[in-house]
Amino acid sequence: MADSHLQAVKGAKVLMVGAGGIGCELLKTLALSGFEDIHVIDMDTIEVSNLNRQFLFRQSHVGQSKAKVARDAVLKFKPHINIKPYHANVKSPEFNVEFFKQFSVVLNGLDNLDARRHVNRLCLAAQVPLVESGTTGYLGQVTVHVKGKTECYECQPKPTPKSYPVCTITSTPSKFVHCVVWAKDLLFAKLFGDKSQDNDLNIRPSDDGNTSKNPEDVFERSSDENAEKYGRRIHDHVFGYNIELALANDETWKNRKKPRPIYIKDVLPDKSLQRNGHLENCTSEDMPISTMPTLGLKNPQDIWSLVENAEVFLESLRLFIEKRDKDIGNLIFDKDDQLAVEFVTAAANIRASSFGIPLHSLFEAKGIAGNIVHAVATTNAIIAGLIVIEAIKILQCDFHNCRMSYCLEHPSRKMLLMPVEPFEANKSCYVCSEQILLLEINTWTTKLRDFVEKIVRNKLGMNLPIVMHGANLIYEDGDDIEEDIATNYTRNLDKVLAELPSQVTNGTVLTVEDLQQELTCNINIKHREEFDEEKHPDGMVLSGWSGHLNDNKVASNRENDISSAPSAAADAENPDGPDVVPKNLILGAREKYQRWKNLPTPQKIRPRNRTRRIRKILIKLMTATAATTMTMT
Amino acid sequence: MDGEELTAQQTALYDRQIRVWGVDAQKRLSKANVLVSGLNGTVAEFCKNIVLAGVGSLTLMDDRLVTENATHANFLITAEESKLSGRSLAEVYCNSLREFNPMVHVSVEKGDLHYFDGNFFDKFDIVIISGYSLKVKKLINSKCRERQKRIAFYTVECRGSCGEIFVDLQSYTYAQKKSDGTIECHMEYPSLEDAISIPWRDLPKKTTKTYFAMRVLEYFESWQYGKLCQTSDSDIPHVLESRKVLCDEQGLSESHLPDALLNRLVAAGAGEYPPVCAILGGFLGQEVIKAISGKGDPIKNFFYFDAADGKGIIEDISPPSK
C-alpha cells in the first residue's frame, strides 16, 4: 500500500450506517484495510436468520445489539483501533448535521429506502461524501454521492413500495399475495394489533342498516367464550359470513369467479382439535411458541391442506390467547415471530382456497409477508470490498476515478463486476436542487393528515416535518410543541385542505421543511376531482422531478447481447427486508449523459454509446429487482 | 434430491439463502467436502463464506506457524492467538471457523498436498489451492483430473490490488435458469496446463492484460524463487526481461503489457489488499456453491479483478473444441 494511501486511511474518521449483512463484512474489511476510527449506527438486535451471513454474530448473541457485538468481534482480531457503536435509529435527532460533519465519509449498509433518503439528506447538508450500497441474492451495487460532483441518492426517483387498491385486498383478491396482505395487515392487525387503528377488515354491509350487531363487536371475545369457540366463530365470520355478504353484491362477480364461503364445521367437524399431547415440550424456554410440532407439521416447505390450515388457524389463535395474552393489543406482524407467521400463513391459505387461488407453504408465505430479501454472504462480502475501495478513493480526493459498481449474476460483456462513471446531479432533483414540485390533489376531500402521511412522510421522506402556507404554520411535528398549538395541529389534521384556517386550494404553494434534514420543498397545489383507483390508490399525484423510467423505450432498444442480464433479477421479488436492498438500482433513462462538471475529464473507459447501452441493461435489471413490497395504503 | 429433510435448525439458520438457491442446493451443500491448501487472507474470506453457507466439511492444510505478521490481513487470527507460538495456520483457522457454523465439520490435515496420492483426493468434491508455484498447481490439478469421480479444482491468488481465480470443472453439466424454466447445459474445461499453453497470438485481442501479467510473474517466479508472491521492487528489471522472453516466444507485442501494471504487481509482492481478498473470496465462494449445487452459470475458466479499474472480468481461455 502506498504511503499516501495509508495516511489517508489512518487519518480518516468514518461513519457506517448499518451493521447487518453488508455492515459486518464492511466493518471487517475496513479494520483489515487500516481504518482506525470507525463509528457504527444500527438500531437492530441479532436474529437467528442473520447468522448465515452476518459472520461477526453467534447463536449466543441473539437478542443483543448488532452494533455493539460487531465492535467486540472485530476488536478481537484488530485490538488497537477505535470503534464506536450506537445502538440507535439513524433518524433520531442526536444524529444531526453537526454529528455528520465530524466524518470524512459516510458508508451506508442499510435495508430500507426511508433511512437511505434520510442519510442522503444529512450528508448533503453536512457536505460529507456518501457511499451507498445494496444487495439482493447475487445482485449488488455500490454508488458514490459527492455534493457538487455527482448525483445525490435521490436524483433518480425510487420505486415506492407497491400498494394494492383496498378493494382488491378486502373483496376481490386474485393472487396469493393479496391474501397474505389481507391476513397480515387486516385480520392479524384486527385481532392482535392496536385497536384504535383504522381497519378495513369488515365489509360494510350495504347501507340497509339492518345489522343487529355492531361489526366491531364480532372480534371481541366474551368472557364465557373459550379460545377454541372464539376461534371457530372468528373463522366463520371472516371466511364464511363475510364471503356470503360479498357474494350478495352481484355487480362484483359479473366478470369474476365467485368465492366459496368456508365454514369450520365443514372443514373440521369434530368439536375439539386433535393434539398430540406434546404441548409441554414445545413451550420450553428455548423453543418459540409454535403450532407445528403439536399438529405434526414438520417441513415448512410443505403446502398444508385446507384441514391443516384450519387447524393451524385455530391452534395459533388459541396459543396467542392462552400463552401470549399480554402481547394482544399491541402486536405488529414480525416475520421472526413464528406463531404470527403460522397464523398469517393459515389465514391467507384459507382465504386463497375460498377464492380459488393456489395455496402456498409457510416458507413462501413468510417470504411474502415479511418482504424477505434473498441474501447470501458472498455478495455482501464483494459489495463491502467495493465500498472500501471507493471510500479510499474519496479519502485521497481521487474523485475522478470514483465509480459506481454493479455486481451481476450473469456476465455482461464478460463482466461480473461492472464499473460505471457516476452520473452528474439531476438539476430538477427536489433534494439537492431547488425544484418546485407539483401535487394534483382533491382539495375538497383530502384531509391534511393524508397529505402529511402520504406525501410529506412517505413520498418526500421527511422525518420531523413543518408545513407552511406562506407565513402561516399549518402543521409541525416534534416533541417541544406547546400543548394548545399541538391541539390546533391535531384539529388541522382532520380538516380537508380547502377548509384549513388558511385555505389550501388550486394554485396554493405549500412549503414543507425538515429542520433535521435541512431540507425545504415548495409544492404547487393543483386541484383535481377524479383519480383512477388502480393507478393512484392514494388519490394524489406528485410530480415535478424528471427522470421517469420509460419502459417502452428500454424494451424497444434492448440489445441482443445483453439479454441475459435482465433475467438476473428473476427471483428477486421482495426488496425491502432485513438486509440491504438495491432500491436505488433504478436509474433514470436520461436522454443526455453529461460528464461531471468542475472536474478534469475522467479517463475514458468506454465510448459513449456503450455507456448508454450499459445504462439500459442496468435500468432493465433494476426495474426487475425493485419489484414489489406489500404495504397497503 | 430426495432423502433426508433439512432439520428445523438448518431451515431457520439458512432461511435467507434457501430463498436464493433452493432447498435442493442446500441439501447438496451439506453433503459436500471441500479441501483448501495454502492459507492467506483471500482463502480466509473463502472459508468464511463456505462455512456460513453450510458446506458438509472443510479440510484445511497449511503447516506454517502463525506469526504476528500473519495477523496483518486476517480476521481468523485473534490477537491472542498470534502471540502463542507453535500453532499452525491451519489449526488457528480451524478454531475460528468452527465457531462460524457449528453444523459444518472443520478439520486440519497435516503435510504437503503435492506429496499426497490420488486416493487422498477422492475424499473431496472441491480442491482449492493458493500460493503454490505453477509446477505444483499443475501437478495437483492433474491429480484431481486422474480420479474417477469429478473433483472440481480452483486456484486463487491476490497480488495487491489484482486477483486471479482459475476454475477446472472438467466435464460439467448444470441447470441453467431461463425465463421459462431450466435447461441442461454442458461445459468442457481444459486443465490449467492446457489452458495456459495456448499461444498468446491465438488469444482474442481483448483478453485482459492481467492474464498476461500473471503469466509473466509466474514465469519469473518459477525460475527465481520456485514460489509465488515473493517479489519486490528490485525484481522489476528481471520481470521486464521475463515479459520480453514470453512475448517473443508467444507472439504478443510487448507494448500490450504495460510497465505500470507489472510494476504494480511486483511491488505488491506477497501483500494482499483486504478489499480485494473480500471480492475474490466472495466470487470463489459463489463459484464453489454453484459447482456443488449444479445450478447457475459457472465461470469458465479465469476470473480477474483489478481494484484500479474496478472491473471483474471472466476470460475463457480454452483450446478450440475438436
Side-chain angles (χ1 to χ4, degrees):
Chain A
M1 258 182 265
D3 280 352
S4 65
H5 180 136
L6 216 57
Q7 285 316 311
V9 165
K10 270 187 187 297
K13 184 171 185 177
V14 303
L15 174 65
M16 276 178 53
V17 191
I22 290 178
C24 280
E25 294 287 339
L26 182 58
L27 188 58
K28 171 257 302 166
T29 305
L30 285 171
L32 294 178
S33 302
F35 284 81
E36 295 182 345
D37 194 358
I38 309 166
H39 293 227
V40 189
I41 303 177
D42 196 313
M43 67 190 286
D44 282 346
T45 53
I46 297 159
E47 307 272 357
V48 171
S49 61
N50 301 150
L51 303 177
N52 79 320
R53 62 195 184 288
Q54 300 176 17
F55 76 101
L56 298 173
F57 310 145
R58 307 279 172 267
Q59 186 74 42
S60 60
H61 296 137
V62 169
Q64 297 181 38
S65 153
K66 286 189 175 180
K68 289 178 181 162
V69 175
R71 168 192 182 269
D72 295 346
V74 168
L75 289 183
K76 281 194 178 152
F77 59 85
K78 269 282 179 187
H80 304 300
I81 63 174
N82 175 41
I83 302 176
K84 185 161 186 195
Y86 303 83
H87 183 199
N89 187 339
V90 70
K91 287 174 77 175
S92 66
E94 59 183 303
F95 306 120
N96 54 14
V97 174
E98 279 310 307
F99 174 85
F100 273 72
K101 275 185 178 159
Q102 64 183 304
F103 298 104
S104 338
V105 62
V106 174
L107 313 174
N108 267 0
L110 279 164
D111 66 352
N112 67 86
L113 183 61
D114 212 31
R116 283 189 167 111
R117 302 206 306 181
H118 187 78
V119 173
N120 179 50
R121 290 160 192 202
L122 283 156
C123 286
L124 285 168
Q127 307 231 28
V128 180
L130 168 67
V131 184
E132 172 59 70
S133 68
T135 69
T136 175
Y138 293 118
L139 303 175
Q141 55 146 30
V142 174
T143 56
V144 177
H145 306 282
V146 185
K147 192 174 183 183
K149 293 186 164 57
T150 72
E151 65 180 3
C152 82
Y153 171 71
E154 294 175 89
C155 274
Q156 302 303 323
K158 304 293 179 286
T160 38
K162 184 165 171 65
S163 56
Y164 298 96
V166 171
C167 65
T168 305
I169 302 302
T170 55
S171 320
T172 56
S174 57
K175 293 180 181 149
F176 187 65
V177 53
H178 301 150
C179 302
V180 172
V181 172
W182 175 86
K184 177 180 79 147
D185 292 352
L186 297 182
L187 185 59
F188 182 87
K190 181 91 218 166
L191 291 171
F192 309 120
D194 182 352
K195 299 273 186 275
S196 66
Q197 293 290 310
D198 281 350
N199 194 309
D200 293 311
L201 181 61
N202 266 313
I203 300 172
R204 308 269 179 276
S206 37
D207 302 314
D208 55 8
N210 69 351
T211 38
S212 55
K213 213 172 173 186
N214 181 344
E216 295 307 309
D217 295 339
V218 171
F219 295 96
E220 292 298 322
R221 187 164 62 96
S222 52
S223 49
D224 58 342
E225 194 175 32
N226 70 25
E228 167 122 16
K229 204 170 153 199
Y230 173 67
R232 287 178 170 259
R233 190 166 60 74
I234 295 296
H235 179 290
D236 285 353
H237 179 76
V238 297
F239 301 116
Y241 172 77
N242 272 357
I243 299 290
E244 303 268 16
L245 217 57
L247 281 169
N249 190 349
D250 291 334
E251 256 328 277
T252 316
W253 311 109
K254 254 184 184 167
N255 302 310
R256 287 190 179 91
K257 201 179 146 208
K258 288 186 179 179
R260 170 177 69 99
I262 298 176
Y263 289 97
I264 195 75
K265 65 178 182 342
D266 302 325
V267 184
L268 289 176
D270 308 355
K271 256 294 176 221
S272 69
L273 219 55
Q274 293 292 314
R275 283 183 214 110
N276 293 353
H278 300 306
L279 201 61
E280 299 320 309
N281 301 342
C282 307
T283 50
S284 63
E285 285 294 300
D286 49 342
M287 287 291 282
I289 298 174
S290 166
T291 65
M292 287 176 66
T294 46
L295 295 172
L297 303 168
K298 287 196 184 101
N299 189 348
Q301 310 273 346
D302 289 341
I303 296 174
W304 301 332
S305 66
L306 185 56
V307 172
E308 286 167 332
N309 278 301
E311 286 175 339
V312 173
F313 181 86
L314 293 182
E315 183 67 0
S316 55
L317 192 56
R318 186 185 72 80
L319 286 173
F320 268 119
I321 292 169
E322 291 178 3
K323 304 274 175 194
R324 294 177 54 181
D325 188 37
K326 60 181 183 301
D327 292 346
I328 296 177
N330 48 36
L331 269 174
I332 295 167
F333 176 81
D334 174 357
K335 64 188 180 319
D336 293 304
D337 179 343
Q338 174 68 19
L339 195 59
V341 171
E342 291 171 6
F343 176 83
V344 165
T345 303
N349 273 329
I350 299 169
R351 186 164 172 86
S353 177
S354 175
F355 282 86
I357 297 166
L359 309 195
H360 285 66
S361 69
L362 176 115
F363 181 81
E364 292 166 307
K366 177 179 168 183
I368 297 168
N371 293 328
I372 290 177
V373 181
H374 308 180
V376 285
T378 51
T379 315
N380 288 338
I382 293 165
I383 289 302
L386 292 170
I387 295 172
V388 175
I389 289 171
E390 292 309 317
I392 291 173
K393 288 183 203 165
I394 288 171
L395 294 173
Q396 293 179 297
C397 297
D398 183 14
F399 293 116
H400 74 277
N401 275 320
C402 282
R403 293 289 178 271
M404 308 196 284
S405 303
Y406 296 89
C407 184
L408 308 174
E409 183 176 3
H410 303 289
S412 173
R413 308 182 169 274
K414 300 201 303 189
M415 279 186 273
L416 281 176
L417 282 182
M418 185 160 54
V420 179
E421 287 168 42
F423 301 151
E424 76 169 14
N426 178 357
K427 289 195 183 63
S428 63
C429 171
Y430 74 92
V431 180
C432 68
S433 304
E434 281 174 24
Q435 172 67 14
I436 298 181
L437 298 168
L438 176 70
L439 179 67
E440 293 173 70
I441 189 167
N442 190 329
T443 53
W444 285 101
T445 59
T446 314
K447 286 180 181 170
L448 180 66
R449 182 186 304 281
D450 291 327
F451 170 77
V452 170
E453 288 304 318
K454 291 173 181 169
I455 298 295
V456 180
R457 289 191 199 279
N458 286 354
K459 287 252 163 45
L460 300 181
M462 290 195 180
N463 192 28
L464 295 172
I466 300 172
V467 181
M468 286 177 294
H469 180 189
N472 296 326
L473 267 169
I474 298 176
Y475 176 75
E476 164 176 24
D477 191 358
D479 295 332
D480 51 351
I481 300 168
E482 285 172 42
E483 205 173 311
D484 53 330
I485 299 178
T487 318
N488 203 16
Y489 289 147
T490 314
R491 212 176 296 133
N492 280 351
L493 283 177
D494 286 319
K495 289 186 176 147
V496 298
L497 295 178
E499 287 173 348
L500 285 166
S502 73
Q503 285 190 341
V504 175
T505 52
N506 192 36
T508 302
V509 178
L510 286 179
T511 303
V512 287
E513 204 175 327
D514 187 311
L515 293 179
Q516 189 190 1
Q517 300 174 344
E518 297 197 359
L519 176 65
T520 307
C521 296
N522 288 316
I523 305 175
N524 253 327
I525 300 294
K526 186 179 172 192
H527 176 79
R528 176 169 153 184
E529 290 283 330
E530 305 272 333
F531 291 89
D532 179 338
E533 207 207 342
E534 291 287 328
K535 272 194 204 152
H536 307 292
D538 289 348
M540 303 178 213
V541 184
L542 183 70
S543 55
W545 74 102
S546 61
H548 294 286
L549 283 174
N550 189 335
D551 284 336
N552 296 335
K553 195 155 203 142
V554 172
S556 64
N557 290 338
R558 210 168 93 191
E559 302 282 332
N560 293 332
D561 57 344
I562 52 107
S563 57
S564 63
S567 67
D571 61 358
E573 286 172 359
N574 304 311
D576 199 349
D579 259 285
V580 260
V581 186
K583 289 286 193 190
N584 56 335
L585 279 174
I586 292 289
L587 305 167
R590 249 177 276 158
E591 290 306 306
K592 288 174 192 162
Y593 175 63
Q594 297 169 308
R595 297 214 170 275
W596 297 5
K597 285 188 177 164
N598 316 322
L599 278 177
T601 308
Q603 179 201 359
K604 195 162 177 145
I605 57 168
R606 73 192 70 78
R608 190 166 145 154
N609 61 347
R610 196 160 151 202
T611 309
R612 293 171 66 109
R613 274 207 300 268
I614 288 171
R615 185 177 300 199
K616 276 178 209 150
I617 305 170
L618 296 175
I619 291 161
K620 184 71 188 162
L621 172 72
M622 283 138 209
T623 316
T625 310
T628 55
T629 61
M630 268 54 75
T631 36
M632 278 190 45
T633 52
Chain B
M1 251 172 117
D2 292 332
E4 313 119 74
E5 300 291 339
L6 297 175
T7 63
Q9 191 189 9
Q10 286 172 318
T11 311
L13 179 64
Y14 300 136
D15 182 280
R16 298 303 184 270
Q17 65 197 39
I18 290 173
R19 294 176 195 276
V20 177
W21 53 59
V23 179
D24 282 355
Q26 191 64 50
K27 286 185 199 163
R28 284 179 202 225
L29 266 175
S30 68
K31 294 194 180 96
N33 303 305
V34 178
L35 172 71
V36 293
S37 183
L39 305 182
N40 51 40
T42 310
V43 173
E45 289 278 350
F46 164 77
C47 291
K48 170 204 71 190
N49 294 335
I50 204 80
V51 167
L52 290 174
V55 76
S57 79
L58 174 68
T59 306
L60 302 155
M61 283 181 90
D62 199 323
D63 295 341
R64 287 177 295 171
L65 299 183
V66 172
T67 60
E68 269 187 80
N69 239 354
T71 60
H72 165 66
N74 212 312
F75 58 91
L76 293 179
I77 307 173
T78 62
E80 290 110 60
E81 279 166 330
S82 66
K83 293 190 191 98
L84 300 171
S85 57
R87 292 228 280 162
S88 73
L89 276 177
E91 285 165 337
V92 173
Y93 274 47
C94 180
N95 277 346
S96 291
L97 287 165
R98 276 180 182 158
E99 285 182 19
F100 285 18
N101 187 347
M103 284 185 264
V104 176
H105 182 74
V106 187
S107 63
V108 173
E109 184 77 46
K110 291 195 170 166
D112 262 332
L113 184 58
H114 57 286
Y115 296 133
F116 281 75
D117 66 8
N119 288 325
F120 174 75
F121 288 87
D122 282 345
K123 290 191 262 182
F124 304 102
D125 305 288
I126 307 279
V127 171
I128 286 151
I129 61 171
S130 187
Y132 281 96
S133 70
L134 178 60
K135 198 174 130 197
V136 176
K137 283 185 194 169
K138 286 182 190 169
L139 179 73
I140 294 170
N141 187 194
S142 69
K143 283 188 180 184
C144 291
R145 289 182 78 91
E146 281 160 10
R147 307 313 300 170
Q148 282 242 294
K149 72 181 272 199
R150 189 174 59 82
I151 303 171
F153 172 82
Y154 300 81
T155 72
V156 61
E157 307 298 343
C158 175
R159 294 175 185 267
S161 49
C162 280
E164 177 186 71
I165 296 172
F166 167 76
V167 183
D168 176 12
L169 302 181
Q170 303 177 36
S171 187
Y172 179 66
T173 306
Y174 69 100
Q176 187 182 50
K177 202 165 59 191
K178 290 277 176 197
S179 48
D180 51 349
T182 57
I183 56 166
E184 199 164 86
C185 279
H186 186 78
M187 277 185 174
E188 285 295 330
Y189 283 74
S191 66
L192 179 62
E193 182 153 22
D194 289 346
I196 63 173
S197 59
I198 300 168
W200 293 359
R201 68 176 75 83
D202 296 344
L203 294 175
K205 281 273 176 298
K206 279 185 178 168
T207 305
T208 180
K209 293 171 169 51
T210 323
Y211 171 76
F212 303 109
M214 289 291 189
R215 302 288 81 75
V216 168
L217 278 153
E218 226 165 50
Y219 177 85
F220 164 75
E221 283 165 348
S222 59
W223 61 261
Q224 189 79 6
Y225 293 103
K227 259 187 172 178
L228 268 187
C229 295
Q230 298 283 335
T231 52
S232 68
D233 280 349
S234 62
D235 292 319
I236 286 174
H238 304 292
V239 170
L240 296 179
E241 183 58 29
S242 302
R243 171 179 68 182
K244 185 170 179 0
V245 174
L246 278 179
C247 283
D248 288 352
E249 193 181 293
Q250 307 252 352
L252 186 80
S253 158
E254 264 191 87
S255 63
H256 196 73
L257 239 178
D259 288 5
L261 176 58
L262 287 174
N263 289 346
R264 191 148 57 89
L265 294 179
V266 170
E272 293 179 294
Y273 185 35
V276 179
C277 295
I279 291 166
L280 289 174
F283 278 107
L284 185 58
Q286 270 177 19
E287 287 308 305
V288 167
I289 291 163
K290 285 185 203 165
I292 293 169
S293 61
K295 275 173 91 173
D297 300 314
I299 287 173
K300 181 171 183 255
N301 51 348
F302 286 89
F303 175 79
Y304 291 93
F305 177 73
D306 186 350
D309 64 12
K311 287 183 194 170
I313 299 179
I314 298 173
E315 291 291 353
D316 185 353
I317 311 236
S318 310
S321 45
K322 286 155 204 163

